[in-house]
Amino acid sequence: MAKYRTPEEKLKYKKQQKRRKMLMYSCMAAFVLVCSFIIVQVVEFMAGGITKVVASGDNNIQQPNTSVTKQAESWYGFEGEVAKTINTEETLPELSMVQVMENGRVDISYFDDVLFLGDSLADGFKVYNSSLELKDSKAGYLTQRSMSPRSFLRPGVHVDAGGGPVDVWAVIEQVQPGKMYLTLGTNALMSMSPEDFIVTYYQLVDKIRRTSPNTQIYVTTITPVAAWKSRKEARLSFDRIYQANQLIAKMCVEENLALINLYDVLKSSSGYLREDIAASDGIHLSPSGYREWLDYLITHTVYNPNNKYV
């Protein structure tokens, strides 16, 4: 038999039931919110920074561990960590905000203690040396076609310095150059993503500093390619080159390197290599392009009161 309740008791009972339901709904809402927060944190953690590990030959090592670190040290002569975390979502610096600014015109003797290290683009200074002011300096060249940062990190690497093959790291260790100009990236983008490329560049800079601690390092941006070449070769697209250059600028900020913004010097208003200085392959430069490049180097140096300015 149902219990009889007075009107007052019925009203009180309804209020109690309502409070219980509100409490139950509040608990359920809180549970859903906590679960949602945990899921979001897990997703962000998994989608955050991407750890890139230096490549072994042509196969990328995906999972860094102690044995991998020791193996990389034996391959490349690294000491300590070989992993570099690249956050692909962070805002990258604009080249013009990082570049070395115009700072007077130095005498050509400024290059007497310079070593150029790089690929076939940098090798043009050696090829066209007789027609450039650099012939009157004592600049050295560790440049060769098809080179990338990873190429220079391989053990026993040799390049043709103009008089035959030389051991790259033995030369750097012996010469202890006052300044080095690094020009790399075009070849790397043909076989690597911009993120993988920049990881090997960090490692190259680190090895140079350990080999020649007092060297001022200049890093040249990747040069633009002709519009037709960019359309034909997706790996050298406008976006990939620009992204790689922003990563180079970021590296220069983090590692206190001098950025030579050759990209903006050689590009047309559309962002591609200017036709008046482009070689027939749409990648390399004509002799006039190298003269323009050298003139830019002469007028864009890190200020030093010991430099001879014209």
Side-chain angles (χ1 to χ4, degrees), residues 116-179:
F116 290 94
L117 182 146
D119 52 25
S120 55
L121 278 159
D123 201 50
F125 280 124
K126 187 172 63 184
V127 173
Y128 297 117
N129 185 268
S130 61
S131 64
L132 299 171
E133 289 181 76
L134 277 176
K135 69 180 184 298
D136 299 322
S137 76
K138 299 174 184 176
Y141 304 91
L142 296 174
T143 57
Q144 190 166 283
R145 60 182 306 218
S146 302
M147 299 299 283
S148 68
R150 184 167 64 183
S151 304
F152 280 105
L153 289 169
R154 288 178 177 145
V157 59
H158 284 62
V159 299
D160 186 352
V166 298
D167 185 308
V168 169
W169 295 103
V171 169
I172 295 173
E173 185 173 19
Q174 179 182 357
V175 173
Q176 295 291 302
K179 302 172 282 286

Side-chain angles (χ1 to χ4, degrees), residues 160-300:
D160 186 352
V166 298
D167 185 308
V168 169
W169 295 103
V171 169
I172 295 173
E173 185 173 19
Q174 179 182 357
V175 173
Q176 295 291 302
K179 302 172 282 286
M180 285 186 69
Y181 284 84
L182 314 184
T183 304
L184 295 160
T186 304
N187 294 309
L189 291 184
M190 294 295 287
S191 60
M192 308 170 75
S193 69
E195 293 85 3
D196 287 325
F197 151 69
I198 203 65
V199 169
T200 60
Y201 219 152
Y202 274 97
Q203 301 292 0
L204 176 61
V205 167
D206 178 65
K207 188 168 184 179
I208 291 173
R209 280 184 162 158
R210 287 187 283 108
T211 306
S212 185
N214 298 317
T215 298
Q216 168 73 62
I217 301 176
Y218 288 84
V219 179
T220 309
T221 53
I222 301 172
T223 54
V225 299
W228 67 267
K229 185 67 177 180
S230 181
R231 289 192 294 269
K232 183 178 180 181
E233 179 50 76
R235 291 171 293 184
L236 295 178
S237 68
F238 176 92
D239 290 339
R240 272 173 68 89
I241 290 178
Y242 193 76
Q243 181 189 1
N245 278 332
Q246 285 187 301
L247 290 170
I248 288 175
K250 177 177 179 290
M251 179 182 71
C252 288
V253 171
E254 293 179 352
E255 300 296 322
N256 194 27
L257 309 170
L259 179 68
I260 297 296
N261 186 10
L262 197 63
Y263 175 83
D264 282 347
V265 176
L266 303 183
K267 71 179 179 68
S268 65
S269 58
S270 61
Y272 297 102
L273 183 61
R274 288 175 13 224
E275 294 182 2
D276 61 311
I277 56 173
S280 59
D281 64 359
I283 296 176
H284 295 88
L285 306 178
S286 65
S288 61
Y290 282 98
R291 283 191 289 272
E292 193 167 331
W293 183 349
L294 177 58
D295 191 69
Y296 187 80
L297 297 185
I298 289 173
T299 56
H300 291 73

Side-chain angles (χ1 to χ4, degrees), residues 4-19:
Y4 174 79
R5 291 188 177 93
T6 65
E8 292 79 13
E9 289 175 333
K10 289 181 179 179
L11 180 62
K12 183 178 180 181
Y13 177 78
K14 287 182 179 180
K15 289 182 178 180
Q16 289 175 343
Q17 289 293 89
K18 186 175 181 180
R19 281 197 295 269

